[in-house]
Amino acid sequence: MTAVSQEITTLDVGDTPPGTAATPDISERGRRTDQVSAADILREFFSDSDSDTEFEGFTAEEINEAVLQHELNVQGRDDESDIDPAELVQLLIADADVTDESETTDAADLLWTSDTEETTVPAFDDEFSGPTHNLDFSKQPIDFFELFLTEDFVELLVRETNAYAEFKQEQAGRRDSEWYATDATELRAYFGMMILMGMHKVPEVKHYWSSDDRLNVPGISKVMPRNRFMKISQYLHLSDSRNEPDARDPQRDRLYKVRAMVDLVRKTFPEHYYPHREIAIDEAMCKFKGRSHMIQYMPGKPVKWGFKIWSAACPKTGYTLDMFPYTGKKESPERGLGYQVVYNLTERYFNMAHHIYYDNFFSSVQLALDLLDRDVYVTSTIRQNRKGLPQ
């Protein structure tokens, strides 16, 4: 196997693929110099194509209400989003990403070369790859489920849900006559109902308890009454609301309300599975159009509105090894956002001869070199203007 430099030198980043239409006259910040609407620009730039370039999100200067309103009109408002386009503009501007500092080329004196260097890659020990738990196939699905939704987490959920119900009743100055404290058994049943609802969809939640047998789902309606299900949904909570961070604090933990769930996933997912040699790093979009400063707008994605999730997965099985949500731009990592994401997601697999795959949003020469120093090998696409690359 050749070194990282060999894979980079074989990429012809300057050619236009055969059959590709000529690029329109476009200025440095991606704006066309001829007269055309902003909506037309979006459609032209972010229509389906074979390009492997990842759209990173609009900068503040590129966001305008007309473009966002056009996108909402195209998608329709059938998903009952409660966010106003003008408000979304302000949210996006508040968290708009700036260009990664690593985008600037500082290697003008370097030249591309076809020379290669042979590199000896240590063998990867695949003996311990795969599930690491002790459960066998005689176990029930609930046993596997509880590897991830642990008893401690359920107890935390019980405690905070009951505490939140008390807190809200104190705020209202009166007791909720329909509420009584929940317990672990009831919450496990509640989550079972939620899973079934995801598999068996009806127009409205209340229809699961309908007297019309064409809508009623006995596997759900017989578990608990509708009013009780609604009450648990009303008070379900993961965090201590009495100590919630001030929403005006720019350094607050924006994931405070779900921090316990994020920490649980990041602990249990890698705990019960060890990947094969290859590991893939990418981003995913979790659909959401409600009010949140973490909402992202990605025109080039199948899911255009929602939360961005950084993730590491085992390509051989599709198992998610680690993940964490993007909470918006608060400060610039020293080596760039893409570098920091890859480093954080793969740190536990250093010095094991793993092979990491990611796209050109994450790639940089410095990242490849730093991973190589830690016995991690890389395959990625690149951006022509990325810092450290020759002209």
Side-chain angles (χ1 to χ4, degrees), residues 181-248:
T182 188
D183 58 28
T185 300
E186 186 176 46
L187 282 189
R188 286 191 178 93
Y190 174 87
F191 283 121
M193 294 169 70
M194 293 290 286
I195 293 172
L196 285 174
M197 287 177 177
M199 298 166 59
H200 191 143
K201 296 183 181 297
V202 295
E204 296 182 45
V205 172
K206 65 181 181 181
H207 290 157
Y208 289 106
W209 290 268
S210 173
S211 58
D212 187 336
D213 58 9
R214 291 167 295 185
L215 291 173
N216 183 281
V217 181
I220 291 174
S221 61
K222 291 182 177 181
V223 176
M224 69 174 65
R226 182 191 66 186
N227 289 351
R228 181 58 178 171
F229 178 86
M230 295 300 188
K231 274 299 166 188
I232 293 176
S233 299
Q234 177 182 343
Y235 291 124
L236 189 68
H237 230 63
L238 276 171
S239 59
D240 182 359
S241 293
R242 299 176 191 274
N243 295 311
E244 186 172 339
D246 188 341
R248 296 167 295 182

Side-chain angles (χ1 to χ4, degrees), residues 70-79 289 297 304-305:
H70 168 78
E71 180 60 30
L72 282 173
N73 291 340
V74 171
Q75 293 188 34
R77 300 301 296 267
D78 295 337
D79 53 1
K289 288 191 182 180
Y297 173 59
K304 297 179 180 4
W305 304 84

Side-chain angles (χ1 to χ4, degrees), residues 65-247:
E65 185 173 356
V67 175
L68 299 181
Q69 182 62 64
H70 168 78
E71 180 60 30
L72 282 173
N73 291 340
V74 171
Q75 293 188 34
R77 300 301 296 267
D78 295 337
D79 53 1
E80 300 180 355
S81 173
D82 61 356
I83 191 166
D84 181 75
E87 180 182 355
L88 180 58
V89 171
Q90 298 306 315
L91 295 180
L92 288 170
I93 290 175
D95 283 327
D97 288 336
V98 297
T99 302
D100 195 319
E101 293 179 359
S102 62
E103 292 294 321
T104 305
T105 300
D106 67 348
D109 56 333
L110 299 178
L111 297 175
W112 289 102
T113 176
S114 58
D115 295 340
T116 61
E117 178 182 341
E118 293 297 325
T119 300
T120 301
V121 179
F124 179 80
D125 186 357
D126 212 31
E127 179 182 356
F128 300 104
S129 297
T132 57
H133 56 76
N134 297 319
L135 298 180
D136 56 42
F137 288 107
S138 66
K139 297 296 183 179
Q140 298 298 310
I142 186 63
D143 297 316
F144 292 91
F145 183 72
E146 289 180 344
L147 289 174
F148 304 95
L149 195 73
T150 63
E151 183 177 346
D152 289 344
F153 179 78
V154 174
E155 290 299 330
L156 169 68
L157 198 58
V158 169
R159 183 169 64 253
E160 295 300 344
T161 297
N162 288 331
Y164 182 67
E166 290 297 318
F167 174 66
K168 296 303 288 184
Q169 290 173 87
E170 289 175 14
Q171 280 190 328
R174 57 184 176 81
R175 303 301 297 176
D176 184 342
S177 60
E178 296 184 4
W179 172 256
Y180 54 88
T182 188
D183 58 28
T185 300
E186 186 176 46
L187 282 189
R188 286 191 178 93
Y190 174 87
F191 283 121
M193 294 169 70
M194 293 290 286
I195 293 172
L196 285 174
M197 287 177 177
M199 298 166 59
H200 191 143
K201 296 183 181 297
V202 295
E204 296 182 45
V205 172
K206 65 181 181 181
H207 290 157
Y208 289 106
W209 290 268
S210 173
S211 58
D212 187 336
D213 58 9
R214 291 167 295 185
L215 291 173
N216 183 281
V217 181
I220 291 174
S221 61
K222 291 182 177 181
V223 176
M224 69 174 65
R226 182 191 66 186
N227 289 351
R228 181 58 178 171
F229 178 86
M230 295 300 188
K231 274 299 166 188
I232 293 176
S233 299
Q234 177 182 343
Y235 291 124
L236 189 68
H237 230 63
L238 276 171
S239 59
D240 182 359
S241 293
R242 299 176 191 274
N243 295 311
E244 186 172 339
D246 188 341

Side-chain angles (χ1 to χ4, degrees), residues 35-51:
Q35 296 299 316
V36 65
S37 72
D40 290 334
I41 294 176
L42 277 183
R43 285 195 291 269
E44 184 166 304
F45 271 90
F46 303 114
S47 59
D48 292 338
S49 70
D50 295 328
S51 171

Side-chain angles (χ1 to χ4, degrees), residues 326-337:
Y326 176 58
T327 59
K329 188 170 186 60
K330 291 187 287 188
E331 59 181 31
S332 299
E334 181 180 355
R335 294 189 180 277
L337 177 61

Side-chain angles (χ1 to χ4, degrees), residues 221-355:
S221 61
K222 291 182 177 181
V223 176
M224 69 174 65
R226 182 191 66 186
N227 289 351
R228 181 58 178 171
F229 178 86
M230 295 300 188
K231 274 299 166 188
I232 293 176
S233 299
Q234 177 182 343
Y235 291 124
L236 189 68
H237 230 63
L238 276 171
S239 59
D240 182 359
S241 293
R242 299 176 191 274
N243 295 311
E244 186 172 339
D246 188 341
R248 296 167 295 182
D249 180 3
Q251 300 303 317
R252 72 189 185 282
D253 181 4
R254 291 183 173 180
L255 296 175
Y256 177 78
K257 289 188 175 182
V258 293
R259 173 59 63 187
M261 174 64 80
V262 174
D263 290 347
L264 176 75
V265 167
R266 299 200 69 189
K267 176 180 182 295
T268 58
F269 278 27
E271 193 171 72
H272 298 301
Y273 185 92
Y274 192 84
H276 295 268
R277 178 173 182 165
E278 289 75 22
I279 297 175
I281 306 294
D282 206 351
E283 62 185 28
M285 290 289 286
C286 180
K287 187 176 182 179
F288 181 74
K289 288 191 182 180
R291 289 186 173 90
S292 172
H293 282 281
M294 296 189 298
I295 193 172
Q296 295 287 299
Y297 173 59
M298 304 287 285
K301 296 288 187 182
V303 175
K304 297 179 180 4
W305 304 84
F307 299 115
K308 183 189 292 185
I309 310 292
W310 308 116
S311 64
C314 175
K316 190 169 184 177
T317 61
Y319 183 92
T320 298
L321 302 164
D322 197 1
M323 55 72 70
F324 59 90
Y326 176 58
T327 59
K329 188 170 186 60
K330 291 187 287 188
E331 59 181 31
S332 299
E334 181 180 355
R335 294 189 180 277
L337 177 61
Y339 181 106
Q340 198 62 50
V341 168
V342 174
Y343 199 95
N344 288 347
L345 289 173
T346 60
E347 189 172 6
R348 70 175 73 243
Y349 303 113
F350 287 172
N351 302 309
M352 298 294 289
H354 280 285
H355 196 144

